[in-house]
Amino acid sequence: MTTEKKGCLAFAVCGSFCTLEDALGAAQALTAQGWTLLPVMSFAAQQDTRFGTGESWRQRLQAVTGQPVLDTLQAVEPLGPRRLAQALVVAPCTGATLARLAAGLSDTPVTLAAKSLLRVGSPVVLAVSTNDGLGASGENMARLCQRKHYYFVPYGQDDPFAKPQSLKADLALLPAAVDAALRGEQLQPVLLGQRNAKSQE
């Protein structure tokens, strides 16, 4: 059975290294639905950490998407003007990236990719993963919620007791969030209690 082609998305990863494995799974889910993904890596995501080397993450992202990683400002700038992607997905979207986006900065491959898509009215879908979502990052999330063409993958506390300020998107809801964003709609962004993907159906 052949999967119907849905179009092309830019798929960006940032430096929330403990979330990158889940992000790759989300990328695979999108490709299984027929999306072509153009992978983008932030400068931070290219660093070596205890979760793996930047090069290994690059190779795995390229293997999932079948496309070379875009990791420079020059590489991502044409995404919007040349209509190379219908939307940008940022998964994971860290607190640092939220702060840059809220401030209107475009000094990394991910934030310039966002600017490139926004300038032509295409959606930017953010899957937050931040340890201070109920702290400093909360203000930036609220600011972005009020701006046109920004959408959030539904999120909640991933560990209310050990990490009470932490928020993390439910990446199982990423495909539905993308489809909604392309219609100009926001799924209910805040997950309450133990709600999961089935609660959004």
Side-chain angles (χ1 to χ4, degrees):
M1 186 171 95
T2 303
T3 302
E4 182 181 349
K5 294 298 183 184
K6 297 186 74 168
C8 186
L9 303 171
F11 188 93
V13 298
C14 298
S16 177
F17 300 99
C18 60
T19 315
L20 288 179
E21 193 72 48
D22 291 340
L24 288 179
Q28 287 178 318
L30 289 169
T31 59
Q33 289 187 356
W35 288 106
T36 296
L37 302 184
L38 301 178
V40 179
M41 286 184 80
S42 72
F43 294 138
Q46 300 175 51
Q47 304 303 308
D48 296 347
T49 71
R50 64 187 175 92
F51 295 98
T53 66
E55 183 57 30
S56 68
W57 287 116
R58 173 192 299 276
Q59 291 176 7
R60 292 183 63 191
L61 187 57
Q62 288 182 162
V64 168
T65 62
Q67 303 288 332
V69 167
L70 308 176
D71 60 1
T72 66
L73 301 180
Q74 295 86 345
V76 300
E77 194 279 331
L79 288 173
R82 295 187 187 172
R83 306 286 180 172
L84 299 177
Q86 294 164 249
L88 169 67
V89 173
V90 185
C93 181
T94 61
T97 297
L98 287 169
R100 285 186 167 92
L101 292 172
L105 299 177
S106 52
D107 57 348
T108 72
V110 175
T111 56
L112 184 57
K115 178 181 178 181
S116 179
L117 271 293
L118 290 169
R119 68 186 285 195
V120 296
S122 297
V124 174
V125 181
L126 305 177
V128 298
S129 180
T130 174
N131 287 328
D132 65 349
L134 295 178
S137 289
E139 179 182 352
N140 294 322
M141 292 170 66
R143 291 167 68 186
L144 293 171
C145 277
Q146 299 176 64
R147 295 188 189 167
K148 287 184 69 174
H149 308 304
Y150 277 105
Y151 300 89
F152 284 84
V153 178
Y155 54 81
Q157 289 179 286
D158 57 320
D159 191 340
F161 299 102
K163 300 188 293 180
Q165 303 296 313
S166 179
L167 292 177
K168 184 177 178 182
D170 183 346
L171 291 176
L173 297 175
L174 176 56
V178 168
D179 288 342
L182 289 167
R183 298 191 303 268
E185 300 172 5
Q186 170 66 62
L187 298 182
Q188 167 54 257
V190 180
L191 298 173
L192 303 175
Q194 297 301 313
R195 293 180 68 183
N196 56 27
K198 291 184 178 179
S199 67
Q200 291 284 332
E201 295 177 353

